[in-house]
Amino acid sequence: MTEAKQPLLHMIGNAHLDPVWLWRWQEGCAEAIGTCWAAIDRLREGEGFVFTKGEAHIYRWIEELEPALFAEIQRYVREQRWIIVNGWWIQPDCNVPNGESVIRQALYGKGYFMDKFGIEPFTGYNVDSFGHPATFPMLLRHTGFTSYTFMRPGPHEMDLPGELFTWQSPDGSSLPAFRIQDAYNTSKRSTPLPPKIDEHYAHMDKHGHAFMCFYGVGNHGGAPTIENIEEIEARMARGENLEFSDPERFFQEVETGGLPVVNEALQFHAIGCYSVASSLKALNRKAESLLEQAEAASALAHRVTGISYPAKRFASLWQILLFNQFHDTLGGTSIESACLDSECELAGVIAGAEELLNAAVRRLDGTIAPPHDPTDANFVVMNFTGTSSNGLVEAEPWVDKDTETPRLLLDESGNSIPFQYIDPAGKTTGLQRLAFPLKVPAYGYRVLRFAASDSGVTAPNVSFGQPRTGPLSFETDGYLVELCRESGAITRLFNRCNGIEIFAGRGHRGLVVDDPSDTWTHGTDRFGFEGQDMTLDGVKLVESGPVRTTIEVTASHGASRLVTTIVVPVDGSLAVELRVALDWREQRKLLRLAYPLDGQKFEYEVASGWDNAPDTGREVPGQRWVRVSAAAHEVALVNDAKYSYAALDGTLYLTAVRSPIFAHHDPIPAEDGARYRYMDQGEQRFSILLQAAPKLVRQEAATLAERLNKPVVTTPHVSRSGNSEHAGRWLSVASEGGMVTTLKGAEDGTGLIARAIDLSGDGCTVGMGTERAPVAPRGIASLRLVGDQLLACDGLERTL
């Protein structure tokens, strides 16, 4: 009987390169050039060697700065010895970026490779990222990928039924995935190639199928060495069953039918990366949100006025954002100077998005009929999201410092809107800031007038806020709020309209916990829950009126201070807002904010979907919203800057900030008294919305997140020649159980592209204009709107 031949070991020559990590991007750029020249040298030296490299941003650096090298790469790509994988702009953190960012990685990355090399990579490839949400197979399939290669979480962090398996998303999308064994690189110091090859033979004997073995100096670049190649050639000459190969070939040749199925997220690795580098995560959220608002506004302006859509400018801004979503950047594990570089770049993206948004706003305002009375303070409130916005709006209409004239706030039909004067941004004569409830339709607008009227209200002075000396209990028609005299936590948050006690204990409780872990938090899947409560310093009643009551609560721990402005609406159907100003001075500690919701089920937003996690205390990554089911009601908690959560015994914890040493990696000890720079020191700001209802569905939680992260735009109404009504919609959209998340101009200039997701779990239908399109249960749909025609396409904007 003939002995069965051992499966083929695919030798993957690569050079994993962190363009930013323990060095700044300028050094990463130099090493990218040096590494790729080294790979070209190895290709020139023999006929067998094959090299694998991804990440469009690296190729663009080379194209711009080393054209001779770029030409050599193009030559070997044509010869199929230089294999392009990944097809993304960079290897990002995969937990923090939203679903639109994931799609843009492929849209711009694959677009670049098709333009410069005439190829489309089909193997997704994130070998160093710190975990992957369960929606990734859906997003990969939606952008043309047919397989996926990763390394983290490793075998010590997550048990898998095999290292080659079918990974399936909740919508049913699936693709074969391979987990790299024993690292993506080799070096004489830690992972020499000869024993690594032998270990992979053992893997193949155990699992009974072909494997990929990755070799080449990595992280700071380097590429495979002459010694690596000679070792492989010598083994081939001895008749061992291994060959120079690449991931695309591996997935083409390996049998993927009947593989075990994994239908969950690939977690957990480096839980500290969900919360560390707060400033970068907040800037990332702001950049994503503003780019999406600006794209929607520009798409509407293009559709309504015919003005050209600035696709190239948007692509440039997105590519800067995508580069700064690199896993060591957005994950927060880089050196301090690299983090500061990223802060500057993300701030530039935000500024650029603001400029494009303003240009579109002015064009759209010009289509609206002129003010009824130009002597009034006229302004427009615009909503650039795919869902109706309903909540309290703040505006500061200009009245030329006139504080004597009583005024009314009037809507487009002349009806009075309740409002109150609130604390103005500037403490100088005549500024009048307003808060008022307003509902604005999806992709719609309303023109308001702050008009002089004898029956109106006169502005107060600019001094707001007095210390509270009596009971720490506050009421509006909609809510009752009580505070703890020791910690400043909210001991009672009661909705008087629906009878729901939102908190079952001290809510928004600041808990300072020791955190001796390194920057990544290696070696554990949870932080502690025992610590010290912050101590109440004082309470001020800032505002109290017909629209809202505002309370400022100051608590402290050591040199750190937590100032929370609690905005309590009069209308109990609206959310309570917690505006946090945290001045953090702790070292090797973290701050948890606790919300005792008596929860029985916890759902967290992830990229283009959601995931469930039990309340076992494990730290989990999440994005803008959490939906918590209690015995007889649901609670939505949304935020505009944070990504790290845990739940334990019915209480939801938001990990607001951590303060490890910059780029500190176990097992290097942190020595007492040594000089270190600690992360996330100083002031940061973020906001939280809380809302509870007997039945609060995911669509409502997501809508609340849209309203907080993409707030309505208020702008003076200065149109002279428009003819549209003073209220309307630039594009009619509708969705029961789902949401239109994106509206942009098509990359090829033909029509608009909309993206929608299902939030019901049962599938939904999206309407745009007069057309309707289905979205699969827990699925995603991209749609091209040309005139009134709606065509299904994929995430790369190709018609299906």
Side-chain angles (χ1 to χ4, degrees):
M1 185 173 178
T2 304
E3 184 177 342
K5 185 178 181 181
Q6 186 184 49
L8 178 66
L9 182 59
H10 294 253
M11 300 302 299
I12 313 299
N14 79 107
H16 177 71
L17 174 70
D18 292 325
V20 177
W21 180 29
L22 305 180
W23 45 86
R24 296 174 66 198
W25 66 264
Q26 296 90 336
E27 184 168 340
C29 176
E31 288 303 320
I33 293 170
T35 293
C36 289
W37 269 126
I40 293 294
D41 289 340
R42 303 292 82 76
L43 289 164
R44 288 170 172 172
E45 289 163 357
E47 296 300 321
F49 171 62
V50 176
F51 183 68
T52 291
K53 186 82 188 86
E55 296 80 65
H57 188 93
I58 303 299
Y59 288 81
R60 191 174 70 174
W61 266 344
I62 294 169
E63 179 191 14
E64 294 175 351
L65 303 174
E66 197 86 356
L69 172 59
F70 193 74
E72 286 292 288
I73 293 173
Q74 288 178 313
R75 169 196 163 191
Y76 282 106
V77 168
R78 288 192 298 270
E79 293 181 8
Q80 298 184 333
R81 294 184 61 205
W82 184 297
I83 307 300
I84 297 174
V85 293
N86 179 261
W88 280 11
W89 199 252
I90 208 74
Q91 289 190 40
D93 180 278
C94 296
N95 289 312
V96 174
N98 67 11
E100 191 60 30
S101 289
V102 174
I103 289 173
R104 298 305 175 95
Q105 287 280 356
L107 179 68
Y108 298 125
K110 284 196 172 188
Y112 179 86
F113 289 127
M114 181 59 70
D115 181 49
K116 303 299 180 180
F117 299 93
I119 65 164
E120 178 183 349
F122 294 105
T123 296
Y125 183 95
N126 286 302
V127 300
D128 198 23
S129 299
F130 306 148
H132 315 262
T135 52
F136 252 45
M138 175 184 72
L139 293 168
L140 289 162
R141 281 293 192 184
H142 194 61
T143 49
F145 289 98
T146 58
S147 58
Y148 192 61
T149 303
F150 72 103
M151 189 178 74
R152 311 183 196 281
H156 62 294
E157 295 163 322
M158 182 180 185
D159 289 329
L160 291 172
E163 304 311 296
L164 177 65
F165 58 93
T166 294
W167 189 21
Q168 181 172 290
S169 278
D171 77 318
S173 300
S174 66
L175 76 179
F178 178 83
R179 177 163 66 181
I180 297 171
Q181 299 293 292
D182 310 312
Y184 46 71
N185 62 341
T186 51
S187 69
K188 292 181 179 179
R189 178 176 55 85
S190 59
T191 50
L193 184 57
K196 186 173 186 178
I197 292 174
D198 295 336
E199 289 169 4
H200 275 69
Y201 288 155
H203 293 321
M204 291 195 297
D205 289 341
K206 176 181 178 181
H207 294 281
H209 60 71
F211 258 69
M212 289 190 280
C213 178
F214 285 69
Y215 69 97
V217 181
N219 289 336
H220 196 253
T225 63
I226 295 173
E227 185 180 28
N228 291 158
I229 295 170
E230 289 177 343
E231 172 70 18
I232 296 167
E233 290 175 338
R235 287 174 178 254
M236 291 169 64
R238 292 198 299 265
E240 296 183 23
N241 197 25
L242 76 169
E243 292 183 12
F244 294 108
S245 188
D246 64 87
E248 296 270 6
R249 176 187 168 188
F250 170 78
F251 283 108
Q252 289 168 4
E253 295 183 1
V254 73
E255 175 57 51
T256 57
L259 292 174
V261 177
V262 174
N263 54 10
E264 60 182 310
L266 302 180
Q267 306 287 11
F268 293 84
H269 175 84
I271 63 167
C273 294
Y274 312 155
S275 53
V276 79
S278 289
S279 60
L280 295 183
K281 289 176 170 62
L283 287 166
N284 172 77
R285 179 78 62 81
K286 183 74 170 177
E288 286 178 331
S289 300
L290 260 175
L291 277 174
E292 291 175 22
Q293 281 183 290
E295 283 186 325
S298 299
L300 294 170
H302 169 68
R303 181 177 173 86
V304 173
T305 72
I307 188 175
S308 62
Y309 180 82
K312 289 184 177 180
R313 291 191 65 191
F314 277 120
S316 177
L317 292 172
W318 270 107
Q319 287 160 14
I320 297 170
L321 172 59
L322 298 177
F323 177 74
N324 286 282
Q325 290 178 338
F326 179 69
H327 54 267
D328 282 313
T329 301
L330 195 52
T333 59
S334 297
I335 58 174
E336 184 178 16
S337 57
C339 290
L340 293 173
D341 287 339
S342 186
E343 287 184 9
C344 292
E345 289 210 322
L346 290 172
V349 172
I350 291 168
E354 290 275 22
E355 181 182 351
L356 291 169
L357 175 60
N358 179 69
V361 162
R362 296 273 49 93
R363 292 285 184 169
L364 290 168
D365 179 62
T367 68
I368 304 170
H372 297 307
D373 184 348
T375 64
D376 292 336
N378 294 273
F379 61 99
V380 191
V381 184
M382 300 176 173
N383 177 13
F384 295 118
T385 71
T387 182
S388 175
S389 177
N390 184 25
L392 296 180
V393 177
E394 296 183 9
E396 204 159 302
W398 181 250
V399 293
D400 199 22
K401 299 185 178 181
D402 174 12
T403 59
E404 304 298 325
T405 303
R407 295 180 181 272
L408 293 175
L409 182 62
L410 305 176
D411 70 9
E412 63 277 357
S413 300
N415 301 313
S416 180
I417 298 174
F419 78 95
Q420 72 184 64
Y421 292 98
I422 62 173
D423 193 10
K427 301 300 183 287
T428 187
T429 305
L431 293 182
Q432 299 175 37
R433 189 166 182 82
L434 316 177
F436 51 92
L438 195 70
K439 188 172 184 177
V440 186
Y443 303 131
Y445 66 93
R446 297 179 67 178
V447 177
L448 306 184
R449 291 187 288 153
F450 192 44
S453 172
D454 292 339
S455 60
V457 183
T458 303
N461 63 38
V462 297
S463 296
F464 284 78
Q466 292 297 321
R468 182 75 163 196
T469 55
L472 299 184
S473 179
F474 306 86
E475 292 186 56
T476 70
D477 291 346
Y479 289 94
L480 169 63
V481 178
E482 295 178 356
L483 303 176
C484 174
R485 286 195 170 275
E486 287 74 38
S487 66
I490 302 173
T491 55
R492 191 178 186 197
L493 181 56
F494 175 67
N495 189 308
R496 302 175 67 183
C497 295
N498 58 26
I500 294 175
E501 291 276 5
I502 299 176
F503 290 154
R506 289 176 294 161
H508 195 64
R509 167 184 166 223
L511 180 65
V512 181
V513 179
D514 285 337
D515 174 26
S517 64
D518 69 3
T519 313
W520 289 255
T521 308
H522 285 110
T524 183
D525 65 0
R526 67 199 62 216
F527 297 116
F529 292 91
E530 300 297 325
Q532 294 181 289
D533 285 359
M534 285 197 150
T535 302
L536 179 65
D537 292 334
V539 177
K540 287 183 179 179
L541 177 61
V542 180
E543 302 160 358
S544 182
V547 168
R548 73 187 196 188
T549 291
T550 303
I551 310 140
E552 183 182 87
V553 182
T554 302
S556 62
H557 175 84
S560 298
R561 177 168 292 192
L562 176 71
V563 180
T564 303
T565 301
I566 308 173
V567 180
V568 188
V570 168
D571 183 351
S573 70
L574 302 181
V576 171
E577 183 172 4
L578 309 175
R579 299 177 180 174
V580 177
L582 172 64
D583 189 1
W584 184 249
R585 303 291 172 178
E586 308 304 313
Q587 297 175 356
R588 307 195 79 189
K589 297 180 187 293
L590 61 83
L591 176 67
R592 288 194 188 275
L593 297 176
Y595 301 92
L597 301 173
D598 204 17
Q600 299 176 356
K601 182 179 179 182
F602 297 81
E603 296 178 342
Y604 303 87
E605 183 188 35
V606 298
S608 296
W610 72 92
D611 206 352
N612 304 317
D615 57 339
T616 60
R618 171 177 268 180
E619 200 76 7
V620 299
Q623 298 188 351
R624 303 175 306 169
W625 59 264
V626 184
R627 179 173 170 262
V628 181
S629 297
H633 64 269
E634 281 92 29
V635 181
L637 181 147
V638 310
N639 76 82
D640 64 355
K642 301 299 176 183
Y643 296 89
S644 193
Y645 305 89
L648 183 65
D649 298 331
T651 295
L652 176 69
Y653 293 86
L654 175 67
T655 305
V657 64
R658 294 179 59 235
S659 49
I661 299 164
F662 274 98
H664 172 218
H665 198 306
D666 285 342
I668 303 300
E671 299 180 6
D672 292 341
R675 176 182 179 271
Y676 298 113
R677 292 284 293 174
Y678 293 89
M679 302 188 73
D680 287 328
Q681 301 293 292
E683 187 167 293
Q684 57 176 281
R685 295 176 182 267
F686 56 94
S687 291
I688 294 167
L689 293 181
L690 281 163
Q691 191 162 25
K695 185 174 177 57
L696 191 150
V697 299
R698 290 180 208 94
Q699 187 179 24
E700 293 173 289
T703 295
L704 204 62
E706 287 282 276
R707 186 170 74 78
L708 179 64
N709 286 271
K710 303 175 188 176
V712 292
V713 175
T714 61
T715 184
H717 180 44
V718 296
S719 172
R720 292 293 186 95
S721 57
N723 53 26
S724 296
E725 298 292 333
H726 277 197
R729 304 176 74 171
W730 292 296
L731 178 64
S732 175
V733 297
S735 176
E736 284 296 325
M739 178 177 290
V740 175
T741 59
T742 300
L743 183 69
K744 64 180 288 290
E747 295 297 309
D748 65 5
T750 305
L752 307 183
I753 300 294
R755 202 118 42 225
I757 59 172
D758 171 57
L759 291 163
S760 69
D762 300 318
C764 68
T765 300
V766 172
M768 301 194 74
T770 59
E771 297 285 301
R772 299 174 71 81
V775 183
R778 300 197 69 170
I780 189 169
S782 292
L783 305 164
R784 185 187 293 267
L785 182 65
V786 182
D788 292 327
Q789 188 178 19
L790 202 57
L791 304 172
C793 58
D794 68 5
L796 302 183
E797 305 180 10
R798 300 177 296 201
T799 301
L800 299 178

